[in-house]
Amino acid sequence: MKQAMITRWMLPGMCVAGLLLISGCGDGSEALEKGMVLLQEGRSDAAVPVLERAARRAPENATAHCNLGIAYAAQRNTPRATAAFRRAAELMQEDPRPLELLGQMFIEQEQWEEARNVLAEAQDRARSSARILAARGVVEFGAGQTARAQDLFQRSLRIEPGYPPALYNMAQIFREYPDGDTTAIEYLEKYLGSGLVDKQHSEAARDQMLTLRKKLAGPQVAGPSPAEPLLAAAVEAVEAQNFTLALIRLKEAVRSDPAFLEAQWELARLYDLYLEDPQTAIDLYERFVTRFPGDARVAKARERQAELARPQRPALADVVGSAAADSALAKAAYAAALEHHRNRDWDAAMGAYRQALSHDAQHALAAINLGQVFKATDDLEGAREALEYAHRIKPDLPDGGYHLAQVYRAMGQRPEAEVLAQSVADKHPQYARIHYLLGLLSRDAQNPEKARKHFEKFIELAPANDAQAARVREWLATQ
């Protein structure tokens, strides 16, 4: 995989714009403003002494230290840049941006381990930041950990589905997979349709899509198709988020050359991704499969047909409290849900737990058990939604925090899992299962000493017949 194809993540405007609003008005502010102007002009050599003066005059001004770090980084003075960013991070203990900028510097220098560590710190300050997850993806890609990079980009997109760097970078990853061309095109389509792309990567994305489409189409009959310029115009219209114009151009392309499979495919994708017309998209995918049965995208078309036809699970937020509050009905529904749960009748259990929540929005146990059912059916997104809701309404319930941390771990969100599990342990030090989970997380992080400490605490607190305790004792005996 070619590293140059991955978008270099950067904070918009870097710290110059991001922290300007908190710059002080006292000593050092005039020098700070002058230094930021010099940075914006690209004159880092001139900015350094000015920003050094600003930092000396206002040592508690995080903006001065942060911009000084940017200036040092531009000069590749890594030790001083690191010290400046670290000082800014100390002064802004809940703000991830100084650490993100430090991570960006390490990315530019291809110091992957240093970037990995500092961005993990930043993630601790903003656990749901799509931007930091995407930055961590760039690090893992640079370090040769493609699977980890893909996972991080996917997690970024779960939080912010239209985040352009994650979309673009996912396309680059799939371009390198033997059967990834169709998926790469899909990510490039979403990237161009986000409306938040820079000119350089916009042009690169269009060129990549053209190359991949030609590759998928295989050998072509001599002579250009009259549909080609119409298809190009449709792609530009999607990029501009003018979906009506894109629809007009694609329909013209299909009429002008019914055998031009690219126009047929893009028309189906337009209805699927942007016009939100699932039935028409299903019909167009069927037409594509019928007309071009040998195309590599047939499997993807069948997959999307199945997904679009599948009933959508209603969001939990639309369920809780949707019926008249009635504690008796909620109690009856919960009892029925428990019976279905014990019998492993997952669909019935889901429905009954939802019914309980519809009558009692504060029924945290129903939400916790609903999360467990989703986990049992491998629906981690549903599990996270239910357990995050339970933890939000009853944060002191240790079971809710424990199960939510478990789901975070299962989804590869180790920093989030560690922070939450430790919080539960701090509040409930005698809660055995949380020490078991902390032991697993420590083992995941290749910290056997810390894992041993938590596992031993778990053994101390757990019942003698606990099934997990037996496995833990076996592990401890081998260490």
Side-chain angles (χ1 to χ4, degrees):
M1 195 182 299
K2 299 176 180 61
Q3 181 180 312
M5 298 308 297
I6 289 289
T7 299
R8 287 302 193 186
W9 156 85
M10 187 72 71
L11 284 174
M14 299 196 78
C15 218
V16 174
L19 299 181
L20 182 59
L21 293 176
I22 64 168
S23 60
C25 301
D27 291 342
S29 61
E30 183 178 346
L32 174 58
E33 292 174 7
K34 180 179 178 181
M36 288 193 291
V37 169
L38 291 169
L39 276 181
Q40 289 173 320
E41 294 173 350
R43 299 167 60 190
S44 59
D45 289 345
V48 164
V50 177
L51 290 169
E52 286 177 335
R53 184 165 65 251
R56 284 195 303 270
R57 292 180 176 177
E60 302 301 310
N61 189 322
T63 309
H65 292 285
C66 205
N67 284 282
L68 181 57
I70 294 171
Y72 282 140
Q75 293 185 322
R76 300 191 69 81
N77 190 335
T78 301
R80 290 193 174 184
T82 301
F85 286 134
R86 284 290 181 188
R87 178 57 180 155
E90 290 174 4
L91 294 168
M92 306 169 64
Q93 294 186 5
E94 296 183 0
D95 195 316
R97 288 174 295 176
L99 294 173
E100 290 180 78
L101 287 165
L102 179 55
Q104 174 64 30
M105 181 188 74
F106 287 134
I107 288 174
E108 295 295 337
Q109 297 176 5
E110 300 186 2
Q111 297 186 43
W112 306 122
E113 188 60 28
E114 291 82 354
R116 179 183 288 125
N117 292 336
V118 76
L119 287 171
E121 287 185 61
Q123 194 87 70
D124 286 342
R125 296 186 176 191
R127 294 195 303 170
S128 299
S129 170
R131 185 179 64 218
I132 300 174
L133 285 166
R136 291 171 60 197
V138 172
V139 171
E140 296 303 336
F141 171 77
Q145 301 295 325
T146 305
R148 291 183 187 175
Q150 181 176 335
D151 176 66
L152 287 160
F153 291 137
Q154 287 172 329
R155 287 166 53 190
S156 173
L157 291 170
R158 283 199 293 267
I159 293 171
E160 190 174 334
Y163 188 52
L167 291 171
Y168 185 86
N169 292 338
M170 282 292 286
Q172 309 318 310
I173 287 177
F174 276 98
R175 286 184 69 198
E176 301 300 322
Y177 290 166
D179 300 318
D181 292 345
T182 299
T183 305
I185 289 174
E186 292 170 10
Y187 278 109
L188 290 169
E189 287 174 339
K190 293 176 183 178
Y191 172 75
L192 290 171
S194 70
L196 301 170
V197 301
D198 61 77
K199 182 178 180 181
Q200 175 188 353
H201 289 101
S202 173
E203 293 175 352
R206 283 198 296 268
D207 290 343
Q208 290 168 24
M209 286 176 64
L210 179 61
T211 299
L212 291 170
R213 284 173 176 146
K214 288 181 177 178
K215 179 181 175 183
L216 287 169
Q220 299 294 304
V221 177
S225 167
E228 286 187 6
L230 294 167
L231 175 62
V235 170
E236 290 185 3
V238 169
E239 181 181 351
Q241 297 187 299
N242 189 340
F243 303 129
T244 301
L245 179 59
L247 179 62
I248 292 170
R249 294 292 176 260
L250 284 172
K251 286 185 174 180
E252 290 175 349
V254 169
R255 284 195 296 269
S256 67
D257 186 355
F260 189 57
L261 78 172
E262 296 303 328
Q264 299 276 3
W265 177 257
E266 293 305 323
L267 184 59
R269 299 295 290 168
L270 184 70
Y271 275 101
D272 182 356
L273 298 177
Y274 302 111
L275 299 182
E276 298 181 355
D277 185 341
Q279 188 54 56
T280 302
I282 289 172
D283 294 342
L284 288 169
Y285 281 131
E286 186 63 33
R287 183 186 305 174
F288 181 87
V289 169
T290 302
R291 293 186 177 182
F292 312 106
D295 189 83
R297 288 164 287 191
V298 166
K300 182 63 181 178
R302 288 301 190 203
E303 178 185 326
R304 286 302 298 155
Q305 283 181 307
E307 290 175 356
L308 291 169
R310 187 180 303 127
Q312 295 298 305
R313 169 172 52 81
L316 188 62
D318 296 332
V319 173
V320 294
S322 59
D326 190 319
S327 60
L329 289 177
K331 184 178 179 180
Y334 183 68
L338 290 177
E339 184 65 22
H340 295 312
H341 197 154
R342 281 191 288 267
N343 294 331
R344 302 175 68 84
D345 187 347
W346 304 130
D347 288 341
M350 286 181 194
Y353 283 132
R354 286 174 175 274
Q355 186 179 2
L357 285 164
S358 72
H359 290 294
D360 182 358
Q362 298 301 308
H363 203 316
L365 292 179
I368 291 172
N369 287 340
L370 178 60
Q372 290 297 90
V373 171
F374 279 127
K375 187 182 177 187
T377 58
D378 295 321
D379 185 349
L380 293 180
E381 287 289 352
R384 180 170 64 175
E385 179 187 36
L387 290 165
E388 284 184 341
Y389 175 76
H391 189 63
R392 186 163 60 250
I393 62 173
K394 294 288 177 64
D396 290 330
L397 283 178
D399 280 350
Y402 166 73
H403 289 302
L404 179 55
Q406 271 193 324
V407 169
Y408 283 152
R409 177 175 180 257
M411 297 180 76
Q413 298 176 236
R414 186 164 57 83
E416 292 88 339
E418 289 176 344
V419 170
L420 179 55
Q422 189 58 57
S423 172
V424 173
D426 292 342
K427 294 178 182 177
H428 307 278
Q430 302 303 305
Y431 183 62
R433 287 192 290 180
I434 204 65
H435 293 286
Y436 172 71
L437 179 55
L438 283 166
L440 294 177
L441 290 164
S442 299
R443 194 175 64 182
D444 293 344
Q446 299 182 349
N447 189 337
E449 291 185 8
K450 190 174 181 181
R452 171 177 285 278
K453 172 186 173 184
H454 285 296
F455 282 146
E456 288 176 344
K457 186 66 174 177
F458 167 68
I459 294 294
E460 175 189 331
L461 297 171
N465 61 348
D466 190 290
Q468 293 168 332
R471 291 194 294 271
V472 169
R473 288 190 184 93
E474 290 177 7
W475 183 86
L476 289 170
T478 64
Q479 300 304 304

